[in-house]
Every structure is written in structure tokens, then in C-alpha cells.
């Protein structure tokens, strides 16, 4: 029978042992002795519990603390990502009305700061506002810029702690004597001439540590070297900004090319989204072994996704090959396709939730080519983000619920579930799930909801648009086509044409679209505008809005992903 180590079992064994000794038998009857024994037994029980806890924390599948997994994660080669700042777009000008250009170039350096009075955002690169430009559009990240400067001691593998639990995961730079060094995963992969360093997150999540080489593995710091570390401290998920025109304060001082101080004006033209906190313990538990299982090689889809997903600038990635292509085509998975031989398809979004830039694709390729099969051919697939418009008509239970608050709650639930940062490749949207989400909003008694898909096009020639919508089959009777003058960005889209159930497109409001149609089964069609437009065709933007034939929205291609675009919500009390 196994021995138990709970309080009662430990005490009973001690009593049995002491009672067997004549010198202790009578002494055990005294209350003081009993209390003393209880205290000792309780401490022994606590010690056993603690040792059991430590043993459990040493097992990857049983550990309940992030710190336990973080201690073991380096064995897997897994770097736990830190907080990630939300990303958005700013419009910056020397004019309060954004309609005047500077006389000389104005420099907006990396880490230049803006805010709304409480939340800071920083430029993620260096930008120049040129003469002739009324404003410049730049990418920014929610974070507050910080710097750390110190003189090196010249130690082997010198380290420096940065006590900050909010160091942003990807936006930082390190300079030694004004020369930029490169952050690497492991110094042991580099020579003594390489200007590299490590940046490690402490298992407590309370600090990060800079580590330098020893002139064998990475260059060693010399005594007196001046080290400058520029980094950002972010609010993570709490730094998401849902509204535009919210960032209006310029916190840093700008200068033109002559060194003259320049006043700037700013507004955010997009929401700031994508801010996330440290991964949960279960995310670490799942992801870290996947990195280990790649074995420093990329030979499977999971290998590729694990390696690419570790890159600082990647938010989402999906990889597939000939096997999956055959499945998509309805063929036997092992059918040989000459054009797919050794082809590795990669669909990825960066932390701005945009398709990878040329430089990011190059960096991604460089990060995996040493680990991949030399015969693998990498093909980057353009991700198509499918914009969704949610239309909700809700009845609120009674007047104890404020209509505006219920409306805001419905919109927030939709954003929380279907904003691009919260959706995934291959994630379909089922009507039953959507209905349940709205039904669970406090105050909602019942509701109706339908979802529209939006896609923008441009004229390829005067005045013809090749239409190809991403979700099909579609309901032809719901299709609406709008047009807008690009030169007037503040103008609204005007309804230009509609389609019937058979996909025949008919112009409205003076537009002639004879000969236009769309195949409702495939989503492919042609818009021909015979009359009604007078400007050059390049000055128009065309928008198609429609509904799927099914209430369930099913992705038709692997490189498609859904994203919340907007909502039209009406709420009212019962009659």
C-alpha cells in the first residue's frame, strides 16, 4: 500500500513511532506536546507539498507557471515573444489643416513620439516630409521610446539587465560606439568578428538581458565601449486604439534639413490594432516543442510555420504544398503535379497585418534557407483579407439597458472575434456562432443579423472592371456596385449598379452598364460602364458589396482570411 504524506498520515506515523518508546508514551498526553507535534507535522506536510510542486513544475506537460516553461524553453530553441505594440497609420503635416507643404525637408526619425495625452505611439522607421507634400503617411507602433546608455566593463559574455516588463518585442536598436550591432538568437552560431548580441527575456517576465560575446562566439565588448540601446515600452493589448483622429499630440521636436525646429500636426488615419501581451502558459506549452521538433530543419509544413512564426515581424503564417493543393482540387493527395513539385507556398502577414514587404520576404527566405531542403522552391502567396460588414438589428430587453451601451457592446463583440488580429487562415464564419455571440451580449433579447462582403476594384481600361469576389457562390440579388472619385477622398461612394438573381448587372442613377454580368457560382464577372463617367478611368475606385448565398461564410482559398471592416447596428426597445 503506498505511503501517504498528508497531515493526518504523517502525524499518525510519528505517534505510532513515539508511542512505541516507553520514555515518550506518557509525554504525548500533554497538550503542549500535542501542539508542538502538530506544528512540526504541518511543516513536514508543507515541505512534501512543495517538493511535489517542484517535481510537477519540472514536467513540461504538468507545469502551471510560465517561469517553469521559460526555464526549459531555451532547450527547445524557443524564444518566448514579449508584448507586441499595436500598429497603425499616422498622417503628419506642418499644417494644422494638412494642406500646406514645408519649405525644406522635415525629418521624422525612428522612435519619434506622438500621443493622445495618455497613450504614446512611435514612428517605426525614419521618414522625410518633402517640400511639395502637404502631409506624409507613416507607420507607427503603440509604445513609448526609451534609451539605455552604459559603458562596457570588458567582461567575457558581458551582460546588462533592463528592468522593464513591457519591452516591445520587435522595435529596438543597439549601437556600440555609434556602430549598429545585430540581435541574434544564439552567439554560438557566430564568430569573434561578428557584431552581434542576444536579447533574452527573463523567466519572471520582469526584465530583459543584453548579452555580448567573448571574441570566439561573437565580438567581445572592450572596456569603455559606449553602448546605446534604443527600445520601446508598450502597453500590449491595452494599447489598442479603436478610433481614428485620436492621436493628435506631437511629443517630440522635429527639425528641417537646416536644423530649424518645426511644428508638426498629426492624426491617426487608422485604428491601432494588434497589441498583444505575453503568450499564455498553454500557448508556450504548445509552441515551444514545435520549435524543438523542427530539429533545425524545415521539411514539413509545421516546421516552416514554426520557424517563420518565430520571426519578430510575422503575425500570421500558413504554409502548404502539393499535398494540400491536390486536396483543394479534389484530387488524390498523392497525385503528381509537375508545376507543384517541391513548391512551398507561404501566406504571411506582418505585424501591421499587411502582406510582407520585399525586404521581409528576403529576410524570411534567409531565415529558413539553411534549414530547408535545397530542392524546395518558396512561393509567397498574396494574402487576401476579406472585408466584412456586419448588419445587426437588435431588440433590447427593457429600458434598464442603455441603448448606446448595448450597441457599443455588440460592435465590440464583433471586433473582438473578427478583427484581423483575431482571425486565422482557414477560419470560416458560421451563422450559428455569429448568432450566439450577439445573443450573449447583455441586454439583447433577440436580433436579426446578416453579413456583407466588400471588395474594391479599379478600372483596368476605360471603363471596364474585371470582377472576382472572394466568397462564392453569391446571392446575385444582393450585389451592389458603387463608384467614387479617388481625387476626392472625403466624398462618398455613389450607387452605380445592381445585379439580379441571375447575375445580370443593371446601371442606376444615369449609369449605363449594358453587357455587364457576374457568374454567381464562381464570383467572376465584368463591369462595363458605357456612360455616366466623365473623368479619366484612373481616377475612379469601384466597390462591390454583396452577400454569400449561404449564411455560413466559407473561405475558398488557403490564402484568404476574414477581417472586420465595419458594422451597421440598430437597437431598440420592445414596442
Amino acid at each position: 500500500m503506498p505511503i501517504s504524506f498528508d497531515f493526518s498520515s504523517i502525524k499518525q506515523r510519528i505517534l505510532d513511532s513515539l508511542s512505541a518508546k516507553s520514555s515518550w508514551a506518557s509525554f504525548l498526553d500533554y497538550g503542549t506536546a500535542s501542539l508542538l507535534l502538530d506544528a512540526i507535522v504541518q511543516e513536514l506536510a508543507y515541505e512534501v507539498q512543495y517538493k511535489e510542486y517542484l517535481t510537477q513544475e519540472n514536467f513540461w506537460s504538468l507545469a502551471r507557471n510560465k517561469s517553469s516553461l521559460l526555464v526549459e524553453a531555451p532547450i527547445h530553441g524557443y524564444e518566448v515573444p514579449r508584448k507586441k505594440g499595436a500598429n497603425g497609420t499616422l498622417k503628419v503635416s506642418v499644417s494644422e489643416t494638412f494642406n500646406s507643404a514645408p519649405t525644406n525637408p522635415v525629418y521624422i526619425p525612428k522612435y519619434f513620439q506622438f500621443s493622445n495625452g495618455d497613450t504614446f505611439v512611435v514612428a517605426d522607421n525614419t521618414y522625410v516630409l518633402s517640400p511639395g507634400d502637404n502631409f506624409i503617411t507613416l507607420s507607427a507602433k503603440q509604445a513609448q521610446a526609451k534609451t539605455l546608455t552604459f559603458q562596457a566593463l570588458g567582461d567575457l559574455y558581458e551582460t546588462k539587465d533592463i528592468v522593464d516588463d513591457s519591452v516591445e518585442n520587435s522595435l529596438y536598436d543597439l549601437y556600440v560606439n555609434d556602430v549598429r550591432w545585430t540581435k541574434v538568437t544564439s552567439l554560438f552560431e557566430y564568430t569573434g568578428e561578428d557584431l552581434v548580441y542576444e536579447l533574452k527575456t527573463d523567466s519572471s517576465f520582469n526584465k530583459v538581458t543584453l548579452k555580448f560575446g567573448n571574441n570566439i562566439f561573437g565580438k567581445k565588448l572592450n572596456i569603455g565601449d559606449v553602448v546605446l540601446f534604443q527600445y520601446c515600452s508598450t502597453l500590449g493589448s491595452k494599447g489598442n486604439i479603436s478610433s481614428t483622429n485620436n492621436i493628435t499630440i506631437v511629443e517630440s521636436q522635429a527639425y528641417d534639413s537646416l536644423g530649424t525646429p518645426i511644428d508638426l500636426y498629426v492624426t491617426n488615419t487608422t485604428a491601432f490594432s494588434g497589441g498583444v501581451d505575453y503568450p499564455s502558459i498553454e500557448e508556450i506549452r504548445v509552441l515551444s516543442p514545435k520549435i524543438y521538433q523542427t530539429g533545425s530543419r524545415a521539411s514539413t509544413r509545421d516546421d516552416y510555420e514554426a520557424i517563420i512564426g518565430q520571426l519578430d515581424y510575422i503575425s500570421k503564417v500558413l504554409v502548404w504544398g502539393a499535398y494540400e493543393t491536390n486536396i483543394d482540387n479534389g484530387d488524390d493527395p498523392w497525385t503528381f503535379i509537375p508545376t507543384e513539385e517541391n513548391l512551398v507556398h507561404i501566406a504571411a502577414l506582418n505585424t501591421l497585418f499587411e502582406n510582407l514587404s520585399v525586404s521581409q520576404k528576403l529576410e524570411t527566405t534567409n531565415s529558413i534557407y539553411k534549414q530547408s531542403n535545397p530542392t524546395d522552391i518558396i512561393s509567397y502567396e498574396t494574402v487576401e483579407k476579406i472585408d466584412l460588414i456586419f448588419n445587426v438589428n437588435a431588440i433590447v430587453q427593457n429600458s434598464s439597458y442603455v441603448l448606446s451601451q448595448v450597441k457599443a457592446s455588440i460592435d465590440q463583440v464583433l471586433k473582438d472575434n473578427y478583427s484581423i488580429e483575431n482571425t486565422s487562415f482557414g477560419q470560416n464564419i458560421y451563422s450559428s456562432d455569429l448568432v450566439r455571440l450577439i445573443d450573449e451580449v447583455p441586454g439583447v433579447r433577440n436580433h436579426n443579423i446578416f453579413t456583407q462582403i466588400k471588395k474594391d476594384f479599379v478600372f483596368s481600361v476605360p471603363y471596364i472592371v474585371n470582377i472576382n469576389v472572394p466568397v462564392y457562390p453569391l446571392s446575385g440579388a444582393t450585389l451592389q456596385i458603387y463608384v467614387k472619385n479617388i481625387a476626392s477622398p472625403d466624398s462618398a461612394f455613389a450607387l452605380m449598379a445592381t445585379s439580379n438573381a441571375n447575375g445580370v448587372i443593371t446601371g442606376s442613377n444615369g449609369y449605363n452598364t449594358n453587357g455587364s454580368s457576374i457568374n454567381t457560382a464562381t464570383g467572376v464577372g465584368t463591369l462595363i460602364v458605357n456612360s455616366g463617367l466623365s473623368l479619366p478611368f484612373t481616377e475612379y475606385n469601384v466597390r462591390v458589396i454583396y452577400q454569400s448565398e449561404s449564411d455560413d461564410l466559407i473561405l475558398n482559398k488557403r490564402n484568404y482570411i476574414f477581417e472586420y471592416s465595419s458594422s451597421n447596428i440598430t437597437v431598440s426597445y420592445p414596442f
Side-chain angles (χ1 to χ4, degrees):
M1 187 174 185
I3 298 177
S4 298
F5 290 92
D6 58 279
F7 177 90
S8 298
S9 299
I10 295 174
K11 182 176 180 180
Q12 189 59 52
R13 285 197 297 273
I14 293 176
L15 288 173
D16 292 344
S17 176
L18 293 177
S19 298
K21 297 177 175 60
S22 58
S23 58
W24 283 88
S26 61
F27 184 73
L28 292 175
D29 293 333
Y30 290 95
T32 302
S34 179
L35 292 174
L36 180 62
L37 181 60
D38 283 351
I40 293 171
V41 171
Q42 184 64 70
E43 288 303 312
L44 289 173
Y46 283 153
E47 181 180 6
V48 171
Q49 287 178 338
Y50 182 61
K51 288 182 177 179
E52 287 180 346
Y53 163 79
L54 293 179
T55 301
Q56 175 177 288
E57 289 300 302
N58 279 321
F59 286 90
W60 187 265
S61 60
L62 299 177
R64 290 179 289 179
N65 289 300
K66 287 183 181 179
S67 58
S68 302
L69 297 186
L70 284 176
V71 170
E72 298 179 54
I75 299 174
H76 294 155
Y78 174 59
E79 285 192 84
V80 177
R82 295 178 296 279
K83 290 182 180 180
K84 296 181 181 180
N87 298 287
T89 303
L90 302 175
K91 182 167 71 171
V92 180
S93 175
V94 295
S95 164
E96 190 171 5
T97 56
F98 298 90
N99 62 359
S100 297
T103 304
N104 299 304
V106 177
Y107 296 97
I108 304 173
K110 192 175 184 180
Y111 303 108
F112 194 95
Q113 297 190 117
F114 308 88
S115 81
N116 61 7
D118 296 314
T119 303
F120 281 72
V121 302
V122 298
D124 65 0
N125 217 320
T126 296
Y127 298 87
V128 179
L129 178 57
S130 303
D133 291 335
N134 291 340
F135 60 85
I136 186 174
T137 299
L138 57 88
S139 298
K141 185 180 290 288
Q142 186 287 307
Q144 190 166 7
K146 296 186 177 182
T147 60
L148 171 72
T149 304
F150 64 93
Q151 285 192 324
L153 301 175
D155 296 339
L156 298 176
Y157 293 123
E158 185 164 343
T159 62
K160 183 68 174 180
D161 289 340
I162 302 167
V163 183
D164 187 335
D165 64 357
S166 299
V167 176
E168 210 280 326
N169 192 60
S170 60
L171 191 57
Y172 49 81
D173 292 286
L174 184 137
Y175 298 86
V176 178
N177 300 327
D178 297 326
V179 177
R180 189 174 185 274
W181 285 32
T182 302
K183 182 260 181 184
V184 296
T185 301
S186 173
L187 294 171
F188 298 112
E189 298 177 2
Y190 295 85
T191 71
E193 298 300 317
D194 292 322
L195 308 181
V196 295
Y197 67 98
E198 292 180 5
L199 178 63
K200 298 296 184 183
T201 303
D202 188 75
S203 59
S204 67
F205 284 135
N206 291 325
K207 66 179 181 179
V208 298
T209 300
L210 299 169
K211 182 179 179 181
F212 302 88
N214 66 345
N215 280 343
I216 298 175
F217 301 109
K219 189 170 179 61
K220 182 178 79 70
L221 294 180
N222 297 315
I223 297 176
D225 280 347
V226 178
V227 181
L228 170 66
F229 184 58
Q230 293 180 287
Y231 70 99
C232 295
S233 189
T234 181
L235 298 173
S237 63
K238 295 179 180 178
N240 291 324
I241 301 172
S242 60
S243 59
T244 58
N245 302 317
N246 182 278
I247 302 297
T248 57
I249 301 173
V250 179
E251 297 285 352
S252 303
Q253 178 61 61
Y255 298 89
D256 67 11
S257 57
L258 300 179
T260 305
I262 300 294
D263 290 333
L264 293 178
Y265 300 88
V266 65
T267 187
N268 60 305
T269 55
T270 68
F272 274 74
S273 62
V276 295
D277 300 320
Y278 287 101
S280 68
I281 186 170
E282 292 307 320
E283 288 174 323
I284 298 173
R285 201 191 308 276
V286 170
L287 292 174
S288 186
K290 285 186 176 181
I291 297 298
Y292 176 74
Q293 289 164 7
T294 66
S296 297
R297 55 60 181 131
S299 60
T300 68
R301 183 180 67 178
D302 287 343
D303 293 343
Y304 269 94
E305 290 180 357
I307 294 169
I308 296 172
Q310 279 276 94
L311 301 175
D312 289 342
Y313 51 86
I314 297 293
S315 65
K316 302 177 187 293
V317 61
L318 181 71
V319 177
W320 70 94
Y323 183 91
E324 291 77 21
T325 299
N326 277 319
I327 293 176
D328 294 343
N329 293 337
D331 298 327
D332 184 286
W334 301 109
T335 301
F336 175 73
I337 310 175
T339 57
E340 289 286 325
E341 179 74 4
N342 299 323
L343 201 60
V344 178
H345 300 274
I346 298 175
L349 294 175
N350 59 26
T351 51
L352 292 173
F353 301 106
E354 300 293 342
N355 280 280
L356 303 187
S357 65
V358 174
S359 61
Q360 288 172 335
K361 290 178 181 178
L362 178 60
E363 186 173 347
T364 302
T365 301
N366 289 338
S367 70
I368 58 178
Y369 84 95
K370 291 182 180 179
Q371 299 162 279
S372 62
N373 190 315
T375 61
D376 284 353
I377 302 171
I378 295 175
S379 174
Y380 290 97
E381 307 300 331
T382 300
V383 176
E384 177 156 357
K385 296 180 290 183
I386 302 174
D387 290 331
L388 302 177
I389 303 173
F390 295 96
N391 300 273
V392 182
N393 181 11
I395 303 299
V396 177
Q397 291 177 0
N398 54 58
S399 58
S400 66
Y401 293 94
V402 179
L403 292 180
S404 60
Q405 293 178 356
V406 175
K407 179 178 180 179
S409 296
I410 293 173
D411 188 52
Q412 192 59 53
V413 163
L414 293 170
K415 288 178 179 177
D416 289 345
N417 284 274
Y418 301 114
S419 291
I420 186 67
E421 58 264 38
N422 299 321
T423 55
S424 306
F425 291 110
Q427 178 185 338
N428 299 318
I429 298 178
Y430 295 99
S431 176
S432 57
D433 294 332
L434 196 53
V435 169
R436 175 183 54 80
L437 287 173
I438 308 301
D439 280 343
E440 291 176 351
V441 173
V444 172
R445 190 182 77 173
N446 57 280
H447 75 280
N448 293 315
I449 183 170
F450 66 93
T451 307
Q452 296 171 300
I453 298 96
K454 177 185 75 176
K455 184 173 181 179
D456 289 350
F457 299 90
V458 294
F459 287 103
S460 54
V461 295
Y463 290 97
I464 298 176
V465 173
N466 295 315
I467 299 174
N468 58 312
V469 295
V471 178
Y472 49 85
L474 65 134
S475 171
T478 66
L479 187 138
Q480 298 172 313
I481 301 176
Y482 297 82
V483 67
K484 177 181 178 179
N485 180 1
I486 299 174
S488 301
D490 295 329
S491 63
F493 278 91
L495 182 64
M496 181 168 59
T498 59
S499 166
N500 65 16
N502 296 320
V504 177
I505 297 173
T506 304
S508 59
N509 301 324
Y511 296 100
N512 183 324
T513 60
N514 290 343
S516 303
S517 65
I518 187 167
N519 186 323
T520 59
T522 64
V524 176
T526 303
L527 171 68
I528 304 171
V529 183
N530 302 299
S531 65
L533 298 177
S534 57
L535 297 174
F537 73 95
T538 55
E539 295 188 19
Y540 288 110
N541 191 23
V542 174
R543 174 166 293 175
V544 174
I545 297 178
Y546 69 100
Q547 290 176 242
S548 169
E549 187 177 66
S550 169
D551 290 336
D552 297 329
L553 304 181
I554 308 300
L555 294 166
N556 294 303
K557 294 184 179 180
R558 291 182 182 268
N559 58 317
Y560 286 178
I561 187 170
F562 287 120
E563 70 167 343
Y564 169 102
S565 176
S566 62
S567 65
N568 301 309
I569 302 172
T570 59
V571 291
S572 59
Y573 296 121
F575 293 113

